[in-house]
Amino acid sequence: MLSRFTDSINEKQLFEPHQKVLLAVSGGIDSMVLLNLFEKSGLNYGVVHCNFQLRGEDSDKDEQFVREAVLQHGVPAFFQTFETEEHARLNGVSIEMAARELRYEYFEEIRIKNQYDFIATAHHQDDLLETFFLNLSRKTGIRGLTGIKEKSGNLIRPLLFASRREIEDFARANFIEFREDYTNSEVVYQRNFIRHKILPLFQKMNPAFKKNLLASMEHLKETEEVYSFSMNRWQKNVVSTIDGNIEIQISALLNLPFPKILLYEILIRYNFNPKVTGQVFQSIENESGKQFYSPTHRLVKDREKLFVIELPKEEKRIYYIEKDDIELFEPFDLAIEKNENRNFEISRNPNVACLDFDQLDFPLLIRRWKQGDYFQPLGMSGFKKLSDFFIDEKLPLHEKENTWLLCSGQQIVWVMGHRIDNRFKITPQTRQVLKIEIREY
Amino acid sequence: MLSRFTDSINEKQLFEPHQKVLLAVSGGIDSMVLLNLFEKSGLNYGVVHCNFQLRGEDSDKDEQFVREAVLQHGVPAFFQTFETEEHARLNGVSIEMAARELRYEYFEEIRIKNQYDFIATAHHQDDLLETFFLNLSRKTGIRGLTGIKEKSGNLIRPLLFASRREIEDFARANFIEFREDYTNSEVVYQRNFIRHKILPLFQKMNPAFKKNLLASMEHLKETEEVYSFSMNRWQKNVVSTIDGNIEIQISALLNLPFPKILLYEILIRYNFNPKVTGQVFQSIENESGKQFYSPTHRLVKDREKLFVIELPKEEKRIYYIEKDDIELFEPFDLAIEKNENRNFEISRNPNVACLDFDQLDFPLLIRRWKQGDYFQPLGMSGFKKLSDFFIDEKLPLHEKENTWLLCSGQQIVWVMGHRIDNRFKITPQTRQVLKIEIREY
C-alpha cells in the first residue's frame, strides 16, 4: 500500500517531493490512513480540520481526536469551528452545500497564508463509484459521471488508487485509530444504500464490474475533455463581456453546429436551468424584449443579441419546479406529488402545501420575499402585504429574513412553511392536487 | 397509448403518413403491441419475422403464431429461417452477434426489394435503461450509455416513448395475444437481473430514478454528438484513403488537440482494441516499421505515416486477452482467473486450460489456425504440425476449420478445446496459474 501510494503520486505527478501538502483530516478512517501514509513516506505536510458543529458532542470529539493525532506526529495543524447551520440559513443553501462552501474557502485561506502547494483530500475509488451512482439517480450530464480528478487546481486526491477494502485492511494491519462517522444525512443514507445494496448486486452480476466501471469513467472523462474543448472554442466566437455584462451574438450562435447545446453550456454558468434555456432558444428567432431569470442573472432578448445581466443581491436565487418534477434539492429538500382530488386528505402541516393543480402556471418559481410582496392568505378574501403578515404571525427576524415564496408567474402561491394563498386552495371543483412537502428547510 | 403513439411519431418525425414501414415482429409482447398500434392507426405497414432456430420447436411455434396474426390483418409478411449456429461457427462470432448480423441484413434486403421506407423495431424505454446498465457492467464509452436513437438511417423505434408497464397494460386491456420468450442466454439472464433486482433498488432509493436516468441519457446523447462531430472533423485533417488503404499523417495528428483519443477513434473503426492503440501511440514518435494487428487489419508504422491495411480473409479476427482480464465475450465466452499454485487442482476438461502465468507474454492473442502452424502438444517433447495433430485427433472437417488458437507472441499456448502446449504447462516451479475456461464455444 505504501509503495503503491508513492508510485501513484509519481505516476500521476500529483506533487514534487519538496512541495508542501495540506491534508484535510476529519478523523474518519480514510483521512487517518492518508495522514499515516504521508507520515510514513516522510513527506512535507500539515493538517487542517473543520468542526462543522453538525453532530453536537461528536463533532467536538472528532476535533479532539485529530488534535491528539497531530500532536503525536508533531506537524503543523489548523483548526476551525463553523456555524454551519447558520451559514446555510443565511445563504439559503442546504447544510451540505454550506459545509462544502465553508470547507473549501477555509482550506484555500490556510493554504495561501501558510504557503502550502496543495490541499489533499482522502477520496478513494469507492467514493468515485458511489458518486457515479448518486449522480446517476439524479438528472446529470457527462460531468456528473466522470468522477473526480486526481488533480484539479490546488486540490489533489492521493488515495484514488485504493479501494475502501484496501484502506480498511491497511488501517487494521497498521493499528491506525479513527473515529466512526455517524452523520445521517440523505446523501449519506443514499451512499450507504449504493455501497451495501446496489454495488454488491452489480458485482454479483459481473465480478469485473468495479474495474469495468472505473475504466468506463476514464473513457467518459476523455470524452468530456473533447466536448468541453469544442464548447469553449465555439463560445469564444459568440460571447463577449462588455462592462461586466455578457453579450451573446444570436446570428453567430445559430451558425455554429450545435447552437442549442452551446447556449445551454453558456447559460449554465449563469445558473439558468435547462428548461429556461430551452425557452430562450425557442424565442431566439422571433420575439424581442423577452426576459428570463436564473437564481443569479437576468437574460434579455434583443434583436441581435442576448444580454445576461447579474441580479442585484436581494433578487438572487430563483429555483424552478417543472410540471413533472417529483422532488427538488435546492434551495432545500422538497417532495412533490400529484394526486387525483378523490378522497384526498388536505394536510394541516404548515410544511405541506396542497394546491389546485389547474390554477398553477408552470414552471413554478421559488424565490426570496421582498418588500412590496403581497398575497391573499388562505381563508381571507382580501390581500395582505407580506411584511404585515409576518408581523401578525409574530415571526422572529431571522425566520422572516429567510422565508421563501412559491410563485406561479407573478402570484404568490405559498409563503413556504407558513400559509398558502387562497387563490390556489383545494375546492370541490379541483380535479388534481399538487402536494408539496418541505422535507428539510 | 394510441394517441401518444401517433403523437410521438409526429413529434419525433419518425415517418410521414404516406410512407411504408416494415415491422420486425418476433411474436413477443412488445412487437405484437407495435403491430396492434400500427393496425389501429391505419398506417401503411408490412411484417417481417426471422426464425433463428435457436429454441427448437418454440422457434417454429413463434413463426406459426406470427403467420396467423398477419393473416388476420391481411398485410404483406415476409418470413425467413436461418441456420444461426452454423453462421456463428463459420464466421467465428457469438450466437447473438450472428443473429443480429443475419437479422439486419435480411431486413434491409426485404425493405429495398419491397420498397419500404423504414424498418421498425419494438424497443421501449425499459430496454434503454437495461441496455445502459448492461453496457455499464462491461467496459464502455459514451456511446454505450446514450441509448438507441428513435431514428437512425432506415431504422425507427416508435415504442421508445412507452415503458414496459405501459405496454403490458395496453396488451392486457386490448386482449393482445403474444408468445413468451424463453431464451436463456447470458445477456437475457443479465437483462432480467437488471430488471428484477437492480432497477427496483434504484427506484427505492429515488422514485424519480427512471425519469432522471432517461433525461441523463438524453444529455449524454447530445454530448456524444458534439464529441463525434469534433472527432470527425479532426479526422478529415489526418486520414486519407489511397488505393483502398488508409494513411494517417503522424505530424498532423500530433498537432491536433487530442491526438491519442483521435487515434483511438480512427483505429476503432478498423477493430483495433484500445490497448493496442495505446501501444501504437507510444511508438508513434520513435520506432519505424513496427506492426500492430486488429482482427481485420494490420497497422504499419512508417516514419511520417501510419498505414492501415486490410488483412486477407483467412488472417482475420484476432482477439486479445490482457493481463488483468477476467472474461472475454468475443469470439466466444471465456472465463479467466489467476490462482496461486498452492493446492491448485489442474482440470482435465479440454475446455479448460491451466497455464504457467510467468511463461506468458501479454496480451495473449486468440486467432484462427493456419497451414504451417505447429506446437508442442502437452506431454510430448517434440513439435507437431497442427494439420498432423488434427489428423491424429480424428477431428471432423468443420471442427478443424473452426479451431481457435491461444497464442503468446508467436508461440501457440493452447489449441482451444483440444490440447495445451507443453511449454506452458503447470510445473512444481509454477508460482501462479492462469486458468481459462471456455464457457461457450
Side-chain angles (χ1 to χ4, degrees):
Chain A
M1 180 88 166
L2 189 60
S3 65
R4 282 177 61 215
F5 171 70
T6 49
D7 286 355
S8 158
I9 289 170
N10 295 331
E11 194 188 311
K12 310 273 171 57
Q13 304 180 355
L14 297 188
F15 58 92
E16 302 290 324
H18 67 273
Q19 291 184 302
K20 282 170 67 186
V21 181
L22 186 62
L23 309 186
V25 176
S26 69
I29 182 166
D30 304 335
S31 59
M32 291 309 290
V33 163
L34 183 67
L35 175 63
N36 190 281
L37 288 167
F38 264 82
E39 179 67 25
K40 281 215 174 80
S41 312
L43 293 164
N44 195 350
Y45 73 97
V47 165
V48 60
H49 174 87
C50 297
N51 182 341
F52 293 110
Q53 299 196 92
L54 293 173
R55 298 179 295 118
E57 206 184 311
D58 265 341
S59 290
D60 298 333
K61 282 186 183 162
D62 288 352
E63 180 181 333
Q64 196 49 41
F65 175 77
V66 175
R67 281 187 185 276
E68 284 162 19
V70 294
L71 221 57
Q72 274 180 30
H73 296 314
V75 291
F78 310 88
F79 293 86
Q80 180 73 303
T81 300
F82 292 105
E83 310 286 333
T84 315
E85 284 174 358
E86 179 74 7
H87 179 91
R89 248 204 318 275
L90 286 178
N91 290 276
V93 296
S94 64
I95 300 273
E96 263 160 28
M97 187 64 84
R100 177 200 296 248
E101 283 178 8
L102 290 168
R103 178 193 293 128
Y104 285 105
E105 200 176 300
Y106 175 63
F107 287 174
E108 189 58 13
E109 183 194 318
I110 294 293
R111 189 188 70 78
I112 292 170
K113 256 196 207 153
N114 300 276
Q115 295 172 315
Y116 283 89
D117 298 287
F118 294 101
I119 296 156
T121 63
H123 292 95
H124 53 68
Q125 252 173 30
D126 289 75
D127 287 329
L128 279 190
L129 299 173
E130 289 156 23
T131 304
F132 179 94
F133 284 111
L134 206 56
N135 289 338
L136 201 63
S137 79
R138 302 176 176 189
K139 272 180 215 159
T140 190
I142 191 163
R143 295 195 187 103
L145 302 179
T146 53
I148 43 183
K149 298 204 172 111
E150 263 106 358
K151 187 173 183 171
S152 71
N154 299 314
L155 209 57
I156 56 173
R157 279 92 175 195
L159 277 190
L160 274 190
F161 73 92
S163 68
R164 170 175 290 112
R165 168 75 66 89
E166 289 167 333
I167 288 171
E168 287 169 354
D169 289 350
F170 182 81
R172 204 175 303 113
N174 292 273
F175 307 103
I176 296 172
E177 290 179 38
F178 56 89
R179 298 258 311 158
E180 294 285 354
D181 182 356
Y182 295 108
T183 316
N184 216 351
S185 72
E186 180 71 10
V187 170
V188 172
Y189 165 77
Q190 292 194 342
R191 268 195 189 277
N192 282 327
F193 192 89
I194 290 166
R195 185 182 311 161
H196 299 298
K197 305 271 184 192
I198 292 178
L199 283 174
L201 273 183
F202 276 114
Q203 288 285 118
K204 194 176 155 194
M205 184 173 89
N206 181 350
F209 180 74
K210 278 192 185 185
K211 194 173 139 275
N212 290 350
L213 181 53
L214 287 168
S216 301
M217 287 168 80
E218 278 299 318
H219 286 159
L220 289 177
K221 204 189 280 183
E222 291 180 350
T223 304
E224 192 276 324
E225 284 168 11
V226 172
Y227 171 79
S228 295
F229 176 89
S230 300
M231 281 293 151
N232 285 331
R233 203 155 70 170
W234 289 331
Q235 261 185 57
K236 288 188 188 133
N237 296 328
V238 299
V239 180
S240 46
T241 308
I242 290 164
D243 294 341
N245 289 331
I246 296 96
E247 298 188 8
I248 303 166
Q249 297 281 348
I250 294 176
S251 63
L253 177 74
L254 294 177
N255 280 331
L256 283 168
F258 298 95
K260 192 175 172 184
I261 304 177
L262 184 57
L263 186 64
Y264 164 80
E265 287 291 343
I266 295 169
L267 294 186
I268 194 94
R269 299 186 177 190
Y270 308 109
N271 306 306
F272 285 88
N273 84 6
K275 198 84 163 222
V276 175
T277 301
Q279 292 167 354
V280 174
F281 192 74
Q282 272 196 331
S283 78
I284 206 164
E285 289 198 279
N286 28 50
E287 311 136 78
S288 267
K290 243 190 147 175
Q291 305 209 1
F292 302 88
Y293 284 88
S294 87
T296 54
H297 288 76
R298 188 176 70 214
L299 183 146
V300 185
K301 192 200 161 296
D302 185 55
R303 231 156 39 89
E304 290 171 4
K305 290 176 183 172
L306 304 173
F307 295 97
V308 182
I309 302 141
E310 198 172 358
L311 291 176
K313 198 152 195 258
E314 64 273 19
E315 279 188 48
K316 279 187 195 173
R317 298 194 188 276
I318 296 173
Y319 301 86
Y320 295 91
I321 297 180
E322 306 293 347
K323 214 178 209 121
D324 46 4
D325 280 346
I326 66 167
E327 60 187 349
L328 208 68
F329 296 106
E330 296 286 342
F332 40 84
D333 235 349
L334 291 179
I336 303 157
E337 60 179 65
K338 222 165 95 178
N339 296 284
E340 294 300 312
N341 188 23
R342 210 179 299 148
N343 306 320
F344 181 82
E345 203 172 315
I346 300 175
S347 170
R348 307 259 157 240
N349 181 341
N351 283 319
V352 177
C354 298
L355 307 164
D356 187 333
F357 186 82
D358 293 325
Q359 304 302 318
L360 298 166
D361 194 12
F362 287 89
L364 304 178
L365 255 83
I366 296 178
R367 65 166 173 86
R368 292 292 193 187
W369 81 279
K370 55 179 193 290
Q371 287 297 338
D373 277 334
Y374 58 89
F375 81 129
Q376 185 181 348
L378 180 67
M380 283 182 57
S381 55
F383 287 90
K384 198 170 200 170
K385 275 196 189 163
L386 245 89
S387 47
D388 295 337
F389 174 75
F390 289 143
I391 290 167
D392 297 349
E393 294 282 307
K394 300 193 179 62
L395 235 65
L397 180 70
H398 79 266
E399 262 196 58
K400 187 176 114 181
E401 271 179 353
N402 291 303
T403 299
W404 291 88
L405 305 179
L406 178 73
C407 304
S408 167
Q410 301 297 323
Q411 300 183 322
I412 293 174
V413 174
W414 182 22
V415 180
M416 299 182 81
H418 299 287
R419 186 84 62 89
I420 69 163
D421 187 289
N422 205 56
R423 293 166 291 183
F424 300 95
K425 72 177 175 206
I426 311 297
T427 69
Q429 283 72 48
T430 300
R431 295 183 314 131
Q432 289 188 304
V433 178
L434 190 76
K435 180 178 167 190
I436 305 182
E437 179 172 1
I438 301 173
R439 287 195 288 225
E440 194 194 328
Y441 213 145
Chain B
M1 181 92 164
L2 189 60
S3 65
R4 282 175 62 213
F5 171 70
T6 48
D7 287 353
S8 157
I9 290 171
N10 295 331
E11 194 188 313
K12 310 273 169 58
Q13 304 182 355
L14 297 187
F15 57 92
E16 301 290 323
H18 68 273
Q19 291 185 303
K20 282 171 67 186
V21 182
L22 186 62
L23 309 186
V25 176
S26 69
I29 183 166
D30 304 335
S31 58
M32 291 309 289
V33 163
L34 182 67
L35 176 62
N36 191 282
L37 288 168
F38 264 82
E39 179 67 23
K40 282 214 173 85
S41 313
L43 294 164
N44 195 351
Y45 73 98
V47 165
V48 60
H49 174 88
C50 297
N51 183 340
F52 292 110
Q53 298 196 92
L54 294 173
R55 298 179 295 119
E57 204 184 312
D58 265 341
S59 291
D60 298 333
K61 282 187 183 161
D62 288 352
E63 181 182 332
Q64 196 49 41
F65 175 77
V66 176
R67 280 188 186 276
E68 285 162 19
V70 294
L71 221 57
Q72 275 180 29
H73 297 313
V75 292
F78 309 88
F79 293 86
Q80 180 73 301
T81 300
F82 293 105
E83 309 287 333
T84 315
E85 284 173 0
E86 179 74 4
H87 179 91
R89 248 203 319 277
L90 287 178
N91 292 276
V93 295
S94 65
I95 300 272
E96 262 161 28
M97 187 65 84
R100 177 201 296 251
E101 283 178 9
L102 290 167
R103 178 193 295 131
Y104 285 105
E105 201 177 300
Y106 173 65
F107 287 174
E108 189 58 14
E109 184 193 318
I110 294 293
R111 188 187 71 77
I112 292 170
K113 256 196 207 152
N114 300 276
Q115 296 173 310
Y116 284 88
D117 298 288
F118 294 101
I119 296 156
T121 64
H123 292 95
H124 53 67
Q125 252 174 28
D126 289 76
D127 287 329
L128 280 189
L129 299 173
E130 289 156 25
T131 304
F132 179 94
F133 285 110
L134 206 57
N135 289 337
L136 201 63
S137 78
R138 304 176 175 188
K139 273 180 215 161
T140 189
I142 190 161
R143 295 195 188 101
L145 302 181
T146 52
I148 43 181
K149 298 204 172 113
E150 262 107 0
K151 185 172 185 172
S152 71
N154 298 314
L155 209 57
I156 57 173
R157 279 93 175 197
L159 275 191
L160 275 190
F161 73 93
S163 69
R164 171 175 290 111
R165 167 75 66 91
E166 289 167 334
I167 289 172
E168 286 170 355
D169 288 349
F170 182 80
R172 204 174 304 115
N174 292 273
F175 308 103
I176 296 172
E177 289 179 39
F178 57 89
R179 297 259 309 156
E180 295 283 354
D181 182 355
Y182 294 108
T183 317
N184 216 351
S185 71
E186 180 70 10
V187 170
V188 172
Y189 165 76
Q190 292 194 341
R191 267 194 190 276
N192 283 328
F193 192 88
I194 290 166
R195 185 180 313 161
H196 299 299
K197 305 271 184 194
I198 292 179
L199 282 175
L201 272 184
F202 276 114
Q203 288 285 119
K204 194 177 155 194
M205 184 173 90
N206 182 349
F209 181 73
K210 279 193 184 184
K211 194 175 140 273
N212 290 349
L213 181 51
L214 287 168
S216 301
M217 287 169 79
E218 278 298 318
H219 286 159
L220 289 176
K221 203 189 280 178
E222 292 180 350
T223 304
E224 192 277 323
E225 284 168 11
V226 172
Y227 171 79
S228 295
F229 175 89
S230 299
M231 282 292 151
N232 285 333
R233 202 154 71 168
W234 289 331
Q235 261 185 59
K236 288 190 186 131
N237 296 328
V238 298
V239 180
S240 46
T241 309
I242 290 164
D243 293 341
N245 289 330
I246 295 96
E247 299 188 8
I248 302 166
Q249 297 282 348
I250 294 177
S251 62
L253 177 74
L254 294 178
N255 280 330
L256 283 169
F258 299 94
K260 191 174 174 185
I261 304 176
L262 183 57
L263 185 64
Y264 164 81
E265 287 291 343
I266 295 169
L267 295 185
I268 195 92
R269 300 187 177 188
Y270 308 109
N271 306 306
F272 285 88
N273 83 7
K275 199 84 162 217
V276 174
T277 301
Q279 292 167 356
V280 174
F281 192 75
Q282 272 195 333
S283 78
I284 206 163
E285 288 199 279
N286 28 50
E287 311 134 78
S288 267
K290 243 190 146 172
Q291 303 209 1
F292 303 87
Y293 284 86
S294 87
T296 54
H297 288 76
R298 188 175 70 214
L299 182 146
V300 185
K301 194 202 158 299
D302 184 55
R303 232 157 36 91
E304 291 171 3
K305 289 176 182 172
L306 304 173
F307 295 97
V308 182
I309 302 141
E310 197 171 359
L311 290 175
K313 198 152 194 261
E314 65 274 18
E315 280 188 49
K316 278 186 196 177
R317 299 194 187 275
I318 297 175
Y319 301 86
Y320 295 92
I321 297 181
E322 306 293 347
K323 215 178 210 125
D324 46 5
D325 279 346
I326 66 166
E327 60 187 347
L328 209 68
F329 296 105
E330 296 286 342
F332 39 85
D333 233 350
L334 291 178
I336 303 157
E337 59 179 65
K338 223 166 94 180
N339 296 286
E340 294 300 312
N341 188 21
R342 210 181 298 150
N343 305 322
F344 181 82
E345 205 173 314
I346 299 176
S347 169
R348 307 258 158 242
N349 180 341
N351 282 320
V352 178
C354 298
L355 307 164
D356 187 334
F357 185 82
D358 293 326
Q359 304 301 319
L360 298 166
D361 194 12
F362 286 88
L364 303 178
L365 253 82
I366 296 178
R367 63 164 174 87
R368 292 291 193 190
W369 81 280
K370 54 179 194 289
Q371 288 296 338
D373 277 335
Y374 58 90
F375 80 129
Q376 185 181 345
L378 180 67
M380 284 182 58
S381 56
F383 287 89
K384 197 170 203 172
K385 276 197 188 161
L386 245 90
S387 48
D388 295 340
F389 173 76
F390 288 143
I391 290 166
D392 296 352
E393 293 281 308
K394 299 192 178 62
L395 235 64
L397 180 69
H398 79 266
E399 262 197 59
K400 188 176 111 180
E401 271 179 353
N402 291 303
T403 299
W404 291 88
L405 305 178
L406 178 74
C407 305
S408 167
Q410 301 298 322
Q411 301 182 324
I412 293 173
V413 174
W414 181 22
V415 181
M416 299 182 83
H418 298 288
R419 187 83 63 89
I420 70 163
D421 187 288
N422 205 55
R423 294 165 291 182
F424 299 96
K425 72 177 174 204
I426 311 297
T427 69
Q429 283 72 50
T430 299
R431 295 184 313 131
Q432 287 188 304
V433 178
L434 189 75
K435 180 177 168 190
I436 305 183
E437 178 171 1
I438 301 173
R439 286 196 288 223
E440 193 195 330
Y441 214 145

